[in-house]
Amino acid sequence: MRVNRISRARNRAAVGLSVAALAVGVTTAAGPAVAQQKAAPAAAADCSAAYRIEQKLSTGTTWRMCWRYDTNAGLVLEKISYQPKGEAQPIKVLTSAKLAQIHVPYDDGSVEYDDLTGFGFAQGLMNLAPAECPGGTIKTVKVPDGDPANPNVKGLCTTTRSRGHAYRMQADTGNRVYQAQGKDLLVYTVNQVGWYEYMTEWRFQDDGTVNMNVGATGSLAPEDYDAGDGRGWPIGKGASDYATSHSHNVFWRLNFGLDGSTKNKVEQYDSVVSPPAQGGEAPRNKTTRTKVTKELAGDAKNMRWWRVVSDTGKNKDNHARSYEIVPGATSKYPGRGYTKHDIYFTDYKKCEQFASNNPRNCGTGGGKSVDKWVNGQSLTRPIVWMNVGFHHVARDEDQQPMPVHWQGFSIAPRDVTAMNPLTPPALADQNGHVENGR
């Protein structure tokens, strides 16, 4: 439920009751409004123009995807493909990608919230001003179960951004420098829950990397200045008002579809450093691959990483295409079973949509959270669930308004193309072992 600024006492419990009633039904998709503010029809299976995002970046890479708006998750991106220059056809990457929960427990144990499925995240979609989407397009979204008086929200920004150097290399001979400035496609929404405003960003880089981030901004809730038990931080003059510390545990759900197949494989890599061998000059490092064939609740460790591998597609060097999962900085919250691990790989089930407080009925014993779904089943159609935590101990600088604090992760192409997709023509022949000078 969307509430205006003046009445922002915004009792979460009241919002939770109203949205919980809405969430019992089926998921609803919605899209942009047409002229005269009439809502567009539901997205067709072929992704009609109203629901399509397609952007060719100045460096030659094209990203394509469809979008819809879910009654719980908010923005959902589907049929995501990547086509760098030199590739004749788009390379399919993700079947779908979305937020899967924002779990917010307070340090004093008084409350915890599931913002997506319990407290109206999707219904809190905010209108964006043109200045918030510089150089881009703001699409109109019909918010399911939203404010009946204002169902259409100008809330989806698609634009491009520069990110600085994509690469830089001094030539071996002469005085030539090879360098390029990277470009990204940025897709984002802002959703208000209580006093917080969540910025959900999807950044699609011209080198094939995808960055997923959630930024929390808005205001510190005035009703939370009650942490007299040593679990808060003094805000304001002296030490009379203590803001209650809390966590933001953000989950994403990725359904890979590399090269158009859902039967992708998952691999885990671990490296171990050993002392130098007798007479050796340096320590040794051995990296081991483990095929993940059953559902897994995984923990990030030093020199550990995972990749999702195509079972059908190969690049021009005859190497299997894959995407590496790159975790971001996190403060793991150990209070709940579903927040105790950094990543989950589960086999696809239609009912398993949200990492906690899942509204779908998964049957007797099916459970309502992702940790209950990891039960030793063979992994034939893997779904990736990423958990990134942030422990928010408020500070004086958090008022007013509160600066954005970000949390997220990336997926990076590994052997998707045979060379750097941004390689300049002068270096296009330097693939593999090169002995000649540049």
Side-chain angles (χ1 to χ4, degrees):
M1 181 181 296
R2 299 175 66 244
V3 184
N4 65 36
R5 179 80 180 187
I6 295 174
S7 61
R8 264 183 25 160
R10 291 193 288 203
N11 187 314
R12 274 182 180 258
V15 175
L17 289 172
S18 63
V19 175
L22 297 170
V24 172
V26 297
T27 300
T28 304
V34 296
Q36 290 82 45
Q37 297 299 308
K38 293 180 181 179
D46 62 352
C47 186
S48 62
Y51 301 91
R52 187 180 304 126
I53 298 172
E54 181 172 336
Q55 180 67 56
K56 185 173 183 178
L57 299 166
S58 60
T59 46
T61 293
T62 300
W63 283 97
R64 297 178 179 88
M65 65 201 70
C66 302
W67 70 273
R68 63 182 177 87
Y69 199 81
D70 181 87
T71 193
N72 288 312
L75 180 65
V76 181
L77 300 177
E78 298 177 323
K79 302 178 182 178
I80 300 171
S81 69
Y82 153 63
Q83 186 176 8
K85 60 184 181 181
E87 292 290 334
Q89 298 294 327
I91 299 167
K92 295 179 180 179
V93 179
L94 291 162
T95 300
S96 68
K98 68 177 183 178
L99 285 180
Q101 195 55 271
I102 301 176
H103 169 249
V104 187
Y106 276 63
D107 284 17
D108 60 7
S110 61
V111 289
E112 65 180 328
Y113 306 113
D114 291 302
D115 282 347
L116 266 63
T117 56
F119 292 93
F121 172 89
Q123 288 66 44
L125 182 67
M126 305 300 288
N127 281 293
L128 299 174
E132 297 183 81
C133 190
T137 300
I138 299 177
K139 296 178 181 291
T140 300
V141 181
K142 184 178 185 299
V143 178
D145 305 318
D147 182 357
N150 298 285
N152 299 315
V153 179
K154 295 180 179 179
L156 173 57
C157 170
T158 63
T159 188
T160 59
R161 294 275 178 90
S162 298
R163 69 172 186 278
H165 275 87
Y167 61 78
R168 186 188 189 280
M169 187 184 76
Q170 177 73 46
D172 289 345
T173 59
N175 196 31
R176 185 169 183 178
V177 173
Y178 296 100
Q179 70 86 28
Q181 299 297 300
K183 300 289 184 181
D184 301 344
L185 164 64
L186 171 63
V187 180
Y188 87 93
T189 58
V190 178
N191 294 74
Q192 187 180 74
V193 180
W195 288 83
Y196 273 97
E197 297 185 15
Y198 292 111
M199 306 181 72
T200 306
E201 278 196 357
W202 303 84
R203 286 181 178 264
F204 300 90
Q205 295 185 188
D206 50 10
D207 63 1
T209 301
V210 183
N211 300 289
M212 289 139 275
N213 294 289
V214 167
T217 183
S219 304
L220 294 173
E223 62 266 28
D224 291 337
Y225 284 84
D226 56 2
D229 58 0
R231 292 184 172 87
W233 195 269
I235 301 294
K237 296 184 181 300
S240 59
D241 296 330
Y242 281 73
T244 308
S245 302
H246 53 278
S247 292
H248 296 260
N249 303 308
V250 180
F251 288 84
W252 289 260
R253 180 184 183 273
L254 302 182
N255 184 356
F256 277 86
L258 287 171
D259 295 298
S261 173
T262 58
K263 296 181 179 180
N264 301 155
K265 302 178 180 67
V266 177
E267 297 175 349
Q268 176 177 309
Y269 290 80
D270 291 276
S271 297
V272 177
V273 176
S274 301
Q278 187 173 2
E281 295 185 3
R284 298 162 295 164
N285 189 349
K286 182 177 182 180
T287 300
T288 302
R289 179 184 68 175
T290 302
K291 294 182 178 181
V292 180
T293 58
K294 296 184 181 298
E295 295 178 322
L296 172 70
D299 295 299
K301 292 184 179 180
N302 186 44
M303 292 191 175
R304 168 177 289 176
W305 51 279
W306 297 269
R307 71 169 183 158
V308 178
V309 188
S310 174
D311 66 338
T312 59
K314 294 184 178 182
N315 67 18
K316 294 175 183 178
D317 282 346
N318 202 36
H319 299 151
R321 290 192 176 111
S322 71
Y323 261 83
E324 180 179 340
I325 297 167
V326 185
T330 187
S331 297
K332 190 155 51 179
Y333 176 78
R336 293 292 184 183
Y338 48 84
T339 58
K340 288 182 178 179
H341 300 284
D342 299 299
I343 194 169
Y344 297 85
F345 297 98
T346 64
D347 203 56
Y348 172 83
K349 287 188 176 62
K350 186 176 181 179
C351 68
E352 297 173 355
Q353 293 293 324
F354 295 90
S356 66
N357 194 20
N358 181 51
R360 300 289 188 90
N361 181 5
C362 291
T364 303
K368 294 290 185 180
S369 57
V370 66
D371 55 316
K372 305 299 183 184
W373 303 331
V374 178
N375 54 18
Q377 183 177 343
S378 295
L379 204 59
T380 59
R381 184 178 173 182
I383 300 297
V384 178
W385 308 77
M386 177 60 73
N387 169 31
V388 181
F390 176 80
H391 187 213
H392 188 188
V393 180
R395 54 185 180 151
D396 279 339
E397 290 86 352
D398 280 342
Q399 55 180 15
Q400 174 86 304
M402 180 169 56
V404 185
H405 53 80
W406 294 100
Q407 57 202 103
F409 73 109
S410 304
I411 59 172
R414 176 171 284 275
D415 304 340
V416 172
T417 53
M419 296 180 69
N420 182 344
L422 306 179
T423 294
L427 302 178
D429 63 337
Q430 298 191 20
N431 181 22
H433 183 205
V434 178
E435 295 184 353
N436 295 328
R438 288 189 291 272

